[in-house]
Amino acid sequence: MAENKTQATGASVDEFLAAVEDPVRHRDGLRLLALMREITGKEPEMWGPTIVGFGRYHYKYESGREGDAAAVGFSPRKASLSLYGLTYGPEAAELLPRLGKHKTGAGCLYVNRLDDVDQAVLAELIKAGYRHVTTALHSP
């Protein structure tokens, strides 16, 4: 069975974020770094070349495929900020309509800028997503 493409790399989170050229994405990346570190209590680590993840969980599907993944994370991509792990928990259905300007798709939450969303709601989504992924969805 093929290995998961997105794995922890050991690369420097600080170097990755320092290389983000767009000033808004750079600033938002630093803000998310601080927020997710505070909420999860975990140190960030790079997953693949572009995802900053916090915590990890082990998944195993009925197909037999299994591996480890970041519990929550983000990537300051050119088109938008991609946030991972925040839409799985049952609280997401109630929180997302209150978040502000965003899109969802393929298990991701996309925002153009952090200033476009309610910071308190975002913090709740991070808390709920992290809790759900590490306790209910899969084993830590």
Side-chain angles (χ1 to χ4, degrees), residues 34-130:
L35 184 63
M36 288 188 171
R37 178 185 273 145
E38 178 184 336
I39 289 171
T40 66
K42 300 292 184 182
E43 287 301 310
E45 59 183 329
M46 292 301 301
W47 287 81
T50 62
I51 298 172
V52 179
F54 296 82
R56 52 175 65 201
Y57 69 97
H58 187 77
Y59 62 85
K60 185 172 185 176
Y61 299 122
E62 288 181 19
S63 67
R65 183 178 178 91
E66 65 181 298
D68 294 312
V72 296
F74 70 92
S75 183
R77 301 191 187 279
K78 287 189 183 210
S80 63
L81 292 166
S82 299
L83 297 106
Y84 304 96
L86 309 190
T87 60
Y88 299 129
E91 300 93 338
E94 183 263 325
L95 291 168
L96 286 171
R98 299 186 1 232
L99 180 62
K101 187 177 177 183
H102 73 279
K103 294 179 183 177
T104 57
C108 295
L109 173 64
Y110 304 101
V111 298
N112 288 328
R113 305 166 27 149
L114 287 184
D115 290 343
D116 291 341
V117 299
D118 183 310
Q119 302 302 296
V121 175
L122 178 60
E124 286 303 312
L125 279 165
I126 295 167
K127 286 178 199 172
Y130 182 77

Coordinates of all heavy atoms in Angstrom, one line a residue, residues 34-130:
A34 N 0.9 31.4 16.2 CA 0.7 31.7 17.6 C -0.6 31.2 18.1 O -0.7 30.6 19.2 CB 0.8 33.2 17.8
L35 N -1.7 31.4 17.4 CA -3.0 31.0 17.8 C -3.1 29.5 18.0 O -3.6 29.0 19.0 CB -4.1 31.5 16.8 CG -5.6 31.3 17.2 CD1 -5.9 32.0 18.5 CD2 -6.4 31.7 16.0
M36 N -2.7 28.7 16.9 CA -2.8 27.3 17.0 C -1.9 26.7 18.1 O -2.2 25.7 18.7 CB -2.5 26.7 15.6 CG -3.7 26.9 14.7 SD -3.5 26.0 13.1 CE -5.1 26.2 12.4
R37 N -0.7 27.3 18.2 CA 0.2 26.8 19.3 C -0.4 27.0 20.7 O -0.4 26.1 21.5 CB 1.5 27.6 19.2 CG 2.5 27.2 20.3 CD 3.7 28.1 20.2 NE 4.7 27.5 19.3 CZ 5.5 28.2 18.6 NH1 5.5 29.6 18.6 NH2 6.4 27.7 17.8
E38 N -1.0 28.2 20.9 CA -1.7 28.5 22.1 C -2.9 27.5 22.4 O -3.0 27.0 23.5 CB -2.2 29.9 22.2 CG -2.9 30.3 23.5 CD -3.4 31.7 23.4 OE1 -2.9 32.5 22.7 OE2 -4.4 32.0 24.2
I39 N -3.7 27.4 21.4 CA -4.9 26.5 21.6 C -4.6 25.1 21.8 O -5.2 24.4 22.6 CB -5.9 26.8 20.5 CG1 -6.5 28.2 20.6 CG2 -7.0 25.7 20.4 CD1 -7.3 28.6 19.4
T40 N -3.7 24.5 21.0 CA -3.4 23.1 21.0 C -2.4 22.7 22.1 O -2.4 21.6 22.5 CB -2.9 22.6 19.7 OG1 -1.6 23.2 19.4 CG2 -3.9 22.9 18.5
G41 N -1.6 23.7 22.5 CA -0.5 23.4 23.4 C 0.6 22.6 22.8 O 1.5 22.1 23.5
K42 N 0.6 22.5 21.5 CA 1.6 21.7 20.7 C 2.5 22.6 19.9 O 2.1 23.7 19.5 CB 0.9 20.7 19.7 CG 0.0 19.8 20.4 CD 0.7 18.8 21.2 CE -0.2 17.7 21.8 NZ 0.5 16.8 22.6
E43 N 3.7 22.1 19.7 CA 4.7 22.8 18.9 C 4.4 22.5 17.4 O 4.0 21.4 17.1 CB 6.1 22.5 19.3 CG 6.6 23.1 20.6 CD 6.5 24.6 20.6 OE1 7.0 25.2 19.7 OE2 5.9 25.1 21.6
P44 N 4.6 23.5 16.6 CA 4.3 23.3 15.1 C 5.4 22.4 14.5 O 6.5 22.3 15.0 CB 4.4 24.7 14.6 CG 5.3 25.4 15.4 CD 5.1 24.8 16.8
E45 N 5.0 21.7 13.5 CA 5.9 20.9 12.7 C 5.5 21.0 11.2 O 4.3 21.1 10.9 CB 6.1 19.5 13.2 CG 4.9 18.6 13.2 CD 5.2 17.2 13.8 OE1 6.3 16.7 13.6 OE2 4.3 16.7 14.4
M46 N 6.4 20.9 10.3 CA 6.1 20.9 8.9 C 5.6 19.5 8.5 O 6.2 18.5 8.8 CB 7.3 21.3 8.1 CG 7.7 22.7 8.2 SD 6.5 24.0 7.8 CE 6.1 23.6 6.1
W47 N 4.5 19.5 7.7 CA 4.0 18.3 7.1 C 4.0 18.5 5.6 O 3.4 19.5 5.1 CB 2.5 18.1 7.6 CG 2.5 17.6 9.0 CD1 2.5 18.4 10.1 CD2 2.3 16.2 9.4 NE1 2.5 17.6 11.2 CE2 2.3 16.3 10.8 CE3 2.2 15.0 8.7 CZ2 2.2 15.1 11.6 CZ3 2.1 13.9 9.5 CH2 2.1 13.9 10.9
G48 N 4.8 17.7 4.9 CA 5.0 18.0 3.5 C 5.8 19.3 3.4 O 6.2 19.9 4.4
P49 N 5.9 19.9 2.2 CA 6.6 21.1 2.1 C 5.9 22.4 2.4 O 6.5 23.5 2.6 CB 7.0 21.2 0.6 CG 5.9 20.4 -0.1 CD 5.5 19.3 0.9
T50 N 4.5 22.3 2.7 CA 3.8 23.6 2.8 C 2.8 23.6 3.9 O 2.0 24.6 4.0 CB 3.1 24.0 1.5 OG1 2.1 22.9 1.2 CG2 4.1 24.2 0.4
I51 N 2.6 22.6 4.7 CA 1.6 22.6 5.8 C 2.3 22.7 7.2 O 3.1 21.9 7.5 CB 0.7 21.3 5.7 CG1 0.0 21.3 4.4 CG2 -0.2 21.3 6.9 CD1 -0.8 20.0 4.1
V52 N 1.8 23.6 8.0 CA 2.3 23.8 9.3 C 1.2 23.1 10.2 O 0.1 23.5 10.2 CB 2.4 25.2 9.8 CG1 2.8 25.3 11.2 CG2 3.4 26.0 8.8
G53 N 1.6 22.0 10.9 CA 0.7 21.2 11.6 C 0.9 21.2 13.1 O 2.1 21.5 13.6
F54 N -0.1 21.0 13.9 CA -0.1 21.0 15.4 C -0.7 19.7 15.9 O -1.8 19.4 15.6 CB -0.8 22.2 15.9 CG -0.2 23.5 15.5 CD1 -0.5 24.0 14.3 CD2 0.7 24.1 16.4 CE1 0.1 25.2 13.9 CE2 1.3 25.3 16.0 CZ 1.0 25.8 14.7
G55 N 0.1 18.9 16.6 CA -0.4 17.7 17.1 C -0.5 16.7 16.0 O -0.3 17.0 14.8
R56 N -0.8 15.4 16.3 CA -0.9 14.4 15.3 C -1.9 13.4 15.8 O -2.1 13.2 17.0 CB 0.4 13.8 14.9 CG 1.3 13.3 16.0 CD 2.6 12.6 15.6 NE 3.5 13.5 14.9 CZ 4.5 13.0 14.1 NH1 4.6 11.8 13.9 NH2 5.3 13.9 13.5
Y57 N -2.4 12.6 14.8 CA -3.3 11.5 15.2 C -3.0 10.4 14.2 O -2.4 10.6 13.1 CB -4.7 11.9 15.1 CG -5.3 12.2 13.7 CD1 -5.9 11.3 13.0 CD2 -5.1 13.5 13.1 CE1 -6.4 11.5 11.7 CE2 -5.6 13.7 11.9 CZ -6.2 12.8 11.2 OH -6.7 13.0 9.9
H58 N -3.4 9.2 14.6 CA -3.2 8.0 13.8 C -4.6 7.6 13.2 O -5.5 7.6 13.9 CB -2.6 6.9 14.6 CG -2.3 5.7 13.8 ND1 -1.1 5.6 13.0 CD2 -2.9 4.5 13.5 CE1 -1.1 4.5 12.4 NE2 -2.2 3.8 12.7
Y59 N -4.6 7.4 11.9 CA -5.9 7.0 11.3 C -5.7 5.6 10.7 O -4.6 5.2 10.4 CB -6.3 8.0 10.2 CG -5.3 8.1 9.1 CD1 -5.4 7.2 8.0 CD2 -4.3 9.1 9.1 CE1 -4.4 7.3 6.9 CE2 -3.4 9.2 8.0 CZ -3.5 8.3 7.0 OH -2.6 8.4 5.9
K60 N -6.8 4.9 10.7 CA -6.9 3.6 10.0 C -8.2 3.5 9.4 O -9.3 3.5 10.1 CB -6.6 2.5 11.0 CG -6.5 1.1 10.4 CD -6.1 0.0 11.4 CE -5.9 -1.3 10.6 NZ -5.4 -2.3 11.5
Y61 N -8.3 3.3 8.1 CA -9.5 3.2 7.4 C -9.9 1.7 7.2 O -9.0 0.8 7.3 CB -9.4 3.8 6.0 CG -9.1 5.3 6.1 CD1 -8.0 5.9 5.5 CD2 -10.0 6.2 6.8 CE1 -7.8 7.2 5.6 CE2 -9.7 7.5 6.9 CZ -8.6 8.0 6.3 OH -8.4 9.4 6.4
E62 N -11.1 1.4 6.9 CA -11.6 0.1 6.7 C -10.8 -0.6 5.5 O -10.7 -1.8 5.5 CB -13.1 0.1 6.4 CG -14.0 0.4 7.6 CD -15.4 0.4 7.3 OE1 -15.8 -0.2 6.2 OE2 -16.2 0.9 8.1
S63 N -10.3 0.2 4.6 CA -9.6 -0.3 3.5 C -8.2 -0.9 3.9 O -7.6 -1.6 3.2 CB -9.3 0.8 2.5 OG -8.4 1.7 3.0
G64 N -7.8 -0.6 5.2 CA -6.5 -1.1 5.7 C -5.5 0.0 5.6 O -4.4 -0.1 6.2
R65 N -5.8 1.1 4.9 CA -4.8 2.2 4.8 C -4.7 2.9 6.2 O -5.8 3.1 6.8 CB -5.3 3.2 3.7 CG -4.3 4.4 3.6 CD -4.8 5.3 2.5 NE -3.9 6.4 2.3 CZ -2.9 6.5 1.5 NH1 -2.7 5.4 0.7 NH2 -2.2 7.5 1.4
E66 N -3.5 3.2 6.6 CA -3.4 3.9 7.9 C -2.1 4.7 7.8 O -1.3 4.6 7.0 CB -3.3 2.9 9.0 CG -2.1 1.9 9.1 CD -2.2 1.0 10.2 OE1 -2.2 1.5 11.4 OE2 -2.3 -0.2 10.0
G67 N -2.0 5.6 8.8 CA -0.9 6.5 8.9 C -1.1 7.6 9.9 O -2.1 7.5 10.7
D68 N -0.2 8.5 9.9 CA -0.3 9.7 10.8 C -0.5 10.9 10.1 O -0.1 11.1 8.9 CB 1.0 9.8 11.7 CG 1.2 8.6 12.6 OD1 0.2 8.2 13.3 OD2 2.3 8.0 12.6
A69 N -1.2 11.9 10.7 CA -1.4 13.2 10.1 C -1.5 14.2 11.1 O -1.6 13.9 12.3 CB -2.8 13.2 9.3
A70 N -1.3 15.5 10.7 CA -1.5 16.6 11.6 C -2.9 16.7 12.1 O -3.8 16.5 11.3 CB -1.1 17.9 11.0
A71 N -3.1 17.0 13.4 CA -4.5 17.1 13.9 C -5.1 18.4 13.4 O -6.3 18.3 12.9 CB -4.4 17.2 15.5
V72 N -4.5 19.5 13.4 CA -4.9 20.7 12.8 C -3.7 21.4 12.2 O -2.6 21.1 12.6 CB -5.6 21.7 13.8 CG1 -6.9 21.1 14.3 CG2 -4.7 22.1 14.9
G73 N -4.0 22.3 11.3 CA -2.8 23.0 10.6 C -3.3 24.0 9.6 O -4.5 24.2 9.5
F74 N -2.3 24.6 9.0 CA -2.6 25.6 8.0 C -1.5 25.7 7.0 O -0.4 25.2 7.2 CB -2.8 27.0 8.6 CG -1.5 27.6 9.2 CD1 -0.7 28.4 8.4 CD2 -1.1 27.3 10.5 CE1 0.4 29.0 8.9 CE2 0.0 27.9 11.0 CZ 0.8 28.7 10.2
S75 N -1.8 26.3 5.8 CA -0.9 26.6 4.8 C -1.2 28.0 4.2 O -2.3 28.2 3.7 CB -0.9 25.5 3.7 OG 0.1 25.8 2.8
P76 N -0.2 28.9 4.2 CA -0.5 30.2 3.6 C -0.2 30.1 2.1 O 0.8 30.5 1.6 CB 0.5 31.1 4.3 CG 1.7 30.2 4.7 CD 1.0 28.8 4.9
R77 N -1.2 29.6 1.4 CA -1.1 29.4 -0.1 C -1.3 30.7 -0.8 O -1.9 31.7 -0.2 CB -2.0 28.3 -0.6 CG -1.7 27.0 0.1 CD -2.5 25.9 -0.5 NE -2.3 24.6 0.2 CZ -1.3 23.8 0.2 NH1 -0.3 24.1 -0.6 NH2 -1.3 22.7 0.9
K78 N -1.0 30.8 -2.1 CA -1.1 32.1 -2.8 C -2.6 32.5 -2.9 O -2.9 33.6 -2.8 CB -0.5 31.9 -4.2 CG 1.0 31.9 -4.2 CD 1.6 32.0 -5.6 CE 3.1 31.9 -5.4 NZ 3.8 32.6 -6.5
A79 N -3.5 31.5 -3.2 CA -4.9 31.8 -3.5 C -5.6 32.2 -2.2 O -6.5 33.0 -2.2 CB -5.6 30.7 -4.2
S80 N -5.3 31.5 -1.1 CA -6.0 31.7 0.2 C -5.2 31.0 1.3 O -4.3 30.2 1.0 CB -7.4 31.1 0.1 OG -7.4 29.8 -0.1
L81 N -5.6 31.2 2.5 CA -5.1 30.4 3.7 C -5.9 29.2 3.7 O -7.2 29.2 3.7 CB -5.3 31.2 5.0 CG -4.5 32.5 5.2 CD1 -5.1 33.2 6.3 CD2 -3.1 32.1 5.4
S82 N -5.3 28.0 3.7 CA -5.9 26.7 3.9 C -5.8 26.3 5.3 O -4.6 26.3 5.8 CB -5.3 25.7 2.9 OG -5.4 26.1 1.6
L83 N -6.9 26.0 5.9 CA -6.9 25.5 7.3 C -7.4 24.1 7.4 O -8.4 23.8 6.8 CB -7.7 26.4 8.2 CG -7.1 27.8 8.3 CD1 -8.0 28.8 7.4 CD2 -7.0 28.3 9.7
Y84 N -6.7 23.2 8.1 CA -7.0 21.8 8.1 C -7.5 21.3 9.5 O -7.0 21.8 10.5 CB -5.7 21.0 7.7 CG -5.1 21.4 6.4 CD1 -4.1 22.4 6.3 CD2 -5.6 20.9 5.2 CE1 -3.6 22.8 5.1 CE2 -5.1 21.4 4.0 CZ -4.1 22.3 3.9 OH -3.6 22.7 2.7
G85 N -8.4 20.4 9.4 CA -8.9 19.8 10.7 C -10.0 20.5 11.4 O -10.4 20.1 12.5
L86 N -10.4 21.6 10.9 CA -11.4 22.5 11.6 C -12.8 22.2 11.2 O -13.7 22.7 11.9 CB -11.1 24.0 11.3 CG -9.7 24.5 11.5 CD1 -9.6 26.0 11.5 CD2 -9.0 23.9 12.8
T87 N -13.1 21.4 10.2 CA -14.5 21.3 9.8 C -15.0 19.9 10.1 O -16.2 19.6 9.7 CB -14.6 21.5 8.2 OG1 -13.8 20.5 7.6 CG2 -14.2 22.9 7.9
Y88 N -14.3 19.0 10.8 CA -14.7 17.6 11.0 C -15.7 17.5 12.2 O -16.5 16.6 12.3 CB -13.5 16.7 11.3 CG -12.6 16.6 10.1 CD1 -11.2 16.8 10.2 CD2 -13.1 16.3 8.8 CE1 -10.4 16.7 9.1 CE2 -12.2 16.2 7.7 CZ -10.9 16.4 7.9 OH -10.0 16.3 6.8
G89 N -15.5 18.3 13.3 CA -16.2 18.1 14.5 C -17.7 18.6 14.3 O -18.0 19.4 13.5
P90 N -18.6 18.0 15.2 CA -20.0 18.4 15.1 C -20.3 19.9 15.4 O -21.2 20.4 14.9 CB -20.6 17.5 16.2 CG -19.5 17.1 17.1 CD -18.3 17.1 16.3
E91 N -19.4 20.6 16.1 CA -19.6 22.0 16.3 C -19.4 22.9 15.1 O -19.9 24.0 15.0 CB -18.6 22.5 17.4 CG -18.7 21.8 18.7 CD -17.8 20.6 18.9 OE1 -17.3 20.0 17.9 OE2 -17.5 20.2 20.0
A92 N -18.7 22.3 14.1 CA -18.4 23.1 12.9 C -19.7 23.6 12.2 O -19.7 24.7 11.7 CB -17.5 22.3 11.9
A93 N -20.7 22.8 12.2 CA -21.9 23.1 11.5 C -22.6 24.4 12.1 O -23.1 25.2 11.4 CB -22.9 22.0 11.5
E94 N -22.4 24.6 13.4 CA -23.0 25.7 14.1 C -22.0 26.9 14.0 O -22.4 28.1 13.9 CB -23.3 25.4 15.5 CG -23.9 26.5 16.3 CD -22.9 27.3 17.2 OE1 -21.9 26.7 17.7 OE2 -23.1 28.5 17.3
L95 N -20.7 26.7 14.0 CA -19.7 27.8 14.0 C -19.5 28.4 12.6 O -19.3 29.6 12.5 CB -18.4 27.2 14.6 CG -18.4 26.9 16.1 CD1 -17.2 26.2 16.5 CD2 -18.6 28.2 16.9
L96 N -19.4 27.6 11.6 CA -19.0 28.1 10.3 C -19.9 29.2 9.8 O -19.4 30.2 9.2 CB -19.0 26.9 9.3 CG -17.8 26.0 9.4 CD1 -18.0 24.8 8.5 CD2 -16.5 26.7 9.1
P97 N -21.2 29.2 10.0 CA -22.1 30.3 9.5 C -21.7 31.6 10.2 O -22.0 32.7 9.7 CB -23.5 29.9 9.8 CG -23.4 28.4 9.9 CD -22.1 28.1 10.4
R98 N -21.1 31.5 11.4 CA -20.8 32.7 12.2 C -19.3 33.2 11.9 O -18.9 34.2 12.4 CB -21.0 32.5 13.7 CG -22.4 32.1 14.0 CD -22.7 32.0 15.5 NE -21.5 32.2 16.4 CZ -21.1 31.3 17.3 NH1 -21.8 30.2 17.5 NH2 -20.1 31.6 18.1
L99 N -18.6 32.4 11.1 CA -17.1 32.7 11.0 C -16.9 34.0 10.2 O -16.0 34.7 10.5 CB -16.5 31.5 10.3 CG -15.0 31.6 10.0 CD1 -14.2 31.8 11.3 CD2 -14.5 30.4 9.2
G100 N -17.6 34.2 9.1 CA -17.3 35.3 8.2 C -17.0 34.8 6.9 O -17.3 33.6 6.6
K101 N -16.3 35.6 6.0 CA -16.1 35.2 4.7 C -15.1 34.0 4.6 O -14.0 34.1 5.0 CB -15.5 36.4 3.9 CG -15.3 36.2 2.5 CD -14.8 37.4 1.8 CE -14.6 37.2 0.3 NZ -14.0 38.4 -0.3
H102 N -15.6 32.9 4.0 CA -14.8 31.7 3.9 C -15.4 30.7 2.9 O -16.6 30.9 2.4 CB -14.7 30.9 5.3 CG -16.0 30.3 5.6 ND1 -17.1 31.0 6.2 CD2 -16.5 29.0 5.5 CE1 -18.1 30.1 6.4 NE2 -17.7 28.9 6.0
K103 N -14.7 29.7 2.5 CA -15.2 28.6 1.7 C -14.7 27.3 2.3 O -13.7 27.3 3.1 CB -14.6 28.7 0.3 CG -15.1 29.9 -0.5 CD -14.4 30.0 -1.9 CE -14.8 31.2 -2.6 NZ -14.2 31.3 -3.9
T104 N -15.4 26.2 2.0 CA -15.0 24.9 2.5 C -14.9 24.0 1.3 O -15.6 24.2 0.2 CB -16.0 24.3 3.5 OG1 -17.3 24.3 2.9 CG2 -16.0 25.2 4.8
G105 N -14.1 22.9 1.4 CA -14.0 21.9 0.4 C -13.0 20.9 0.7 O -12.0 21.2 1.3
A106 N -13.3 19.7 0.4 CA -12.3 18.6 0.6 C -11.7 18.5 2.0 O -10.5 18.4 2.1 CB -11.2 18.6 -0.5
G107 N -12.5 18.8 3.0 CA -12.0 18.7 4.4 C -11.2 20.0 4.8 O -10.6 20.0 5.8
C108 N -11.2 21.0 4.0 CA -10.4 22.2 4.2 C -11.3 23.4 4.4 O -12.4 23.5 3.9 CB -9.4 22.5 3.1 SG -8.1 21.3 2.9
L109 N -10.8 24.4 5.1 CA -11.5 25.7 5.3 C -10.6 26.7 4.7 O -9.4 26.7 4.9 CB -11.6 26.0 6.8 CG -12.1 27.3 7.2 CD1 -13.6 27.5 6.7 CD2 -12.1 27.5 8.7
Y110 N -11.1 27.5 3.8 CA -10.3 28.5 3.1 C -10.8 29.9 3.4 O -12.0 30.2 3.4 CB -10.5 28.3 1.5 CG -10.1 26.9 1.1 CD1 -11.1 26.0 0.8 CD2 -8.8 26.5 0.9 CE1 -10.8 24.7 0.3 CE2 -8.5 25.3 0.4 CZ -9.5 24.4 0.2 OH -9.2 23.1 -0.3
V111 N -9.8 30.7 3.8 CA -10.1 32.2 4.0 C -9.1 33.0 3.3 O -7.9 32.6 3.1 CB -10.1 32.5 5.5 CG1 -11.2 31.8 6.3 CG2 -8.8 32.3 6.2
N112 N -9.5 34.1 2.8 CA -8.6 35.0 2.0 C -7.6 35.7 3.0 O -6.4 35.8 2.7 CB -9.4 36.0 1.2 CG -10.0 35.4 0.0 OD1 -9.6 34.4 -0.5 ND2 -11.2 36.0 -0.3
R113 N -8.2 36.2 4.1 CA -7.4 36.9 5.1 C -8.0 36.7 6.5 O -9.2 36.6 6.6 CB -7.4 38.4 4.8 CG -7.0 38.8 3.5 CD -7.4 40.3 3.2 NE -7.4 41.1 4.4 CZ -7.2 42.3 4.5 NH1 -6.8 43.0 3.5 NH2 -7.2 43.0 5.7
L114 N -7.2 36.6 7.5 CA -7.7 36.5 8.8 C -8.6 37.6 9.2 O -9.5 37.4 10.0 CB -6.6 36.3 9.8 CG -5.9 34.9 9.8 CD1 -4.8 34.9 10.9 CD2 -6.8 33.8 9.9
D115 N -8.4 38.8 8.7 CA -9.2 39.9 9.0 C -10.6 39.8 8.5 O -11.5 40.5 8.9 CB -8.6 41.2 8.5 CG -7.3 41.6 9.3 OD1 -7.1 41.1 10.4 OD2 -6.6 42.5 8.7
D116 N -10.9 38.8 7.6 CA -12.2 38.6 7.0 C -13.1 37.7 7.9 O -14.2 37.5 7.6 CB -12.1 37.9 5.7 CG -11.5 38.8 4.6 OD1 -11.5 40.0 4.7 OD2 -11.1 38.2 3.5
V117 N -12.5 37.2 9.0 CA -13.2 36.2 9.8 C -13.2 36.7 11.3 O -12.4 37.4 11.7 CB -12.7 34.8 9.7 CG1 -12.8 34.3 8.3 CG2 -11.3 34.7 10.2
D118 N -14.2 36.2 12.0 CA -14.4 36.5 13.4 C -13.3 35.6 14.2 O -13.3 34.4 14.1 CB -15.8 36.1 13.9 CG -16.0 36.4 15.3 OD1 -15.2 36.0 16.2 OD2 -17.1 37.1 15.6
Q119 N -12.4 36.3 14.8 CA -11.3 35.6 15.5 C -11.7 34.7 16.6 O -11.1 33.6 16.8 CB -10.3 36.6 16.0 CG -9.7 37.6 15.0 CD -9.0 36.8 13.8 OE1 -8.0 36.2 14.0 NE2 -9.5 36.9 12.6
A120 N -12.8 35.1 17.3 CA -13.3 34.2 18.4 C -13.9 33.0 17.9 O -13.7 31.9 18.4 CB -14.3 35.0 19.3
V121 N -14.6 33.1 16.8 CA -15.2 31.9 16.1 C -14.1 31.0 15.6 O -14.2 29.8 15.7 CB -16.2 32.3 15.1 CG1 -16.7 31.1 14.3 CG2 -17.4 33.1 15.7
L122 N -13.1 31.6 15.0 CA -12.0 30.8 14.5 C -11.3 30.0 15.6 O -11.0 28.9 15.5 CB -10.9 31.7 13.8 CG -9.7 31.0 13.2 CD1 -10.0 30.0 12.2 CD2 -8.7 32.0 12.7
A123 N -11.1 30.7 16.7 CA -10.5 30.0 17.9 C -11.3 28.8 18.3 O -10.8 27.8 18.7 CB -10.3 31.0 19.0
E124 N -12.6 29.0 18.3 CA -13.5 27.9 18.7 C -13.5 26.8 17.7 O -13.5 25.6 18.1 CB -15.0 28.4 18.9 CG -15.2 29.2 20.1 CD -14.9 28.5 21.4 OE1 -15.3 27.3 21.5 OE2 -14.2 29.1 22.2
L125 N -13.4 27.1 16.4 CA -13.2 26.0 15.4 C -11.9 25.3 15.6 O -11.9 24.0 15.5 CB -13.3 26.6 14.0 CG -14.6 26.9 13.4 CD1 -14.5 27.9 12.2 CD2 -15.3 25.6 13.1
I126 N -10.9 26.0 15.9 CA -9.6 25.3 16.2 C -9.7 24.4 17.4 O -9.3 23.2 17.3 CB -8.4 26.3 16.3 CG1 -8.2 27.1 15.0 CG2 -7.1 25.6 16.8 CD1 -7.3 28.3 15.2
K127 N -10.2 24.9 18.5 CA -10.4 24.1 19.7 C -11.2 22.8 19.4 O -10.9 21.7 19.8 CB -11.1 24.9 20.8 CG -10.2 25.9 21.4 CD -11.0 26.6 22.5 CE -10.4 27.9 22.8 NZ -11.2 28.8 23.7
A128 N -12.4 23.0 18.8 CA -13.3 21.9 18.5 C -12.7 20.9 17.5 O -12.8 19.7 17.7 CB -14.6 22.5 18.0
G129 N -12.1 21.4 16.5 CA -11.5 20.6 15.5 C -10.3 19.7 16.1 O -10.3 18.5 15.9
Y130 N -9.5 20.3 16.9 CA -8.4 19.6 17.5 C -8.9 18.6 18.5 O -8.5 17.4 18.4 CB -7.5 20.6 18.3 CG -6.3 19.9 18.9 CD1 -5.2 19.5 18.1 CD2 -6.3 19.7 20.2 CE1 -4.1 18.9 18.7 CE2 -5.2 19.0 20.8 CZ -4.1 18.6 20.0 OH -3.0 18.0 20.6

